[in-house]
Amino acid sequence: MQRLECHVKKYKWGKQGNESEVARLFAAGHSNFKVDEDETYAEVDSNFSSFYLWMGTHPDGPAVLSNSSTRLSSFIAKSHSASYLCNNNLKEDIHLPFIMKVMSIARSLSLQAHPTKEQAARLHERDPVHYPDRHHKPELAYALTQFELLCGFRPAEQIIENIEAFPPLQAIMDSHNCDVLKSVIAKEKNPQSLKCRQALAACFGFVSN
């Protein structure tokens, strides 16, 4: 078993000082690190607060072995596990198809649209600088402390109200898809019906394409 030095990210939505579970976790593994309650732990901008801990081989935050500073991806490439992750034994770096993160969240995170596996591979080949990860991003969350998560869609009627109130929203969902959604919701008594779900899927599917 190898001890890792993991990468720390700082974003505005993080918790500050000892309120941050990530800061406490990082301090527990680094005897020379002390949590300062007045410190925002800025990396670049002093307005940034707290930590976002990455554990994996992602190019934007690669973990390294504590005893040698060897990248985890390089260590994997030379280990017996390499054949399970890649069919090319000559590669100098083999990346894990997942990344584990510990997050301390104080405010809403930015909205993200993740690609499918095929889209991620295609974008990476086309522009590896802006799309360094060739993997898609299915996510699994496990709450270590008290945590509230908003998941799902607004009621169908509210979605229609927002589409009508914000023309750019209608544009990115495609006006035809929006018209179909309005028509289906007006006719269907149950907003959870298959037709409503299909119409809604068409709108959001257009956004992700």
Side-chain angles (χ1 to χ4, degrees):
M1 183 177 292
Q2 296 286 338
R3 185 183 181 90
L4 296 177
E5 291 287 340
C6 298
H7 200 79
V8 172
K9 295 280 189 179
K10 296 107 176 182
Y11 294 107
K12 291 181 179 179
W13 46 256
K15 290 185 177 180
Q16 188 171 348
N18 268 307
E19 289 187 0
S20 168
E21 185 72 19
V22 176
R24 295 196 299 269
L25 181 63
F26 192 79
H30 299 78
S31 58
N32 61 341
F33 176 81
K34 303 297 181 184
V35 179
D36 186 344
E37 293 298 335
D38 297 323
E39 177 61 70
T40 56
Y41 300 103
E43 186 172 45
V44 178
D45 185 339
S46 61
N47 290 323
F48 277 33
S49 63
S50 198
F51 287 130
Y52 182 22
L53 188 61
W54 287 23
M55 289 164 275
T57 61
H58 194 285
D60 285 347
V64 299
L65 273 60
S66 296
N67 60 1
S68 65
S69 296
T70 300
R71 291 193 308 272
L72 177 59
S73 55
S74 299
F75 176 78
I76 293 173
K78 297 176 182 178
S79 74
H80 67 276
S81 301
S83 59
Y84 296 104
L85 297 169
C86 180
N87 57 10
N88 182 358
N89 293 329
L90 299 178
K91 294 189 69 171
E92 294 183 358
D93 291 276
I94 294 179
H95 295 279
L96 296 171
F98 64 88
I99 182 170
M100 179 179 173
K101 304 175 183 179
V102 179
M103 306 161 70
S104 287
I105 301 170
R107 64 188 75 175
S108 299
L109 278 66
S110 58
L111 182 65
Q112 298 182 357
H114 290 169
T116 64
K117 186 173 180 63
E118 293 74 18
Q119 288 172 332
R122 187 167 63 250
L123 290 169
H124 175 75
E125 292 299 328
R126 183 191 306 166
D127 187 359
V129 174
H130 293 99
Y131 299 95
D133 192 349
R134 65 172 60 253
H135 298 289
H136 59 325
K137 300 179 184 296
E139 295 188 344
L140 175 66
Y142 186 88
L144 299 176
T145 59
Q146 184 68 31
F147 186 74
E148 294 183 1
L149 176 67
L150 179 63
C151 181
F153 295 100
R154 289 180 177 273
E157 294 78 7
Q158 290 185 20
I159 293 176
I160 294 299
E161 290 175 2
N162 288 332
I163 288 174
E164 293 175 341
F166 302 100
L169 185 59
Q170 180 170 335
I172 64 172
M173 289 183 170
D174 183 63
S175 58
H176 173 71
N177 289 335
C178 292
D179 289 340
V180 172
L181 178 62
K182 294 176 187 178
S183 176
V184 170
I185 290 177
K187 294 177 181 178
E188 294 286 316
K189 294 182 179 180
N190 178 15
Q192 299 297 323
S193 70
L194 178 60
K195 288 184 178 180
C196 282
R197 296 202 305 271
Q198 289 175 334
L200 185 60
C203 288
F204 284 94
F206 191 86
V207 174
S208 61
N209 288 334

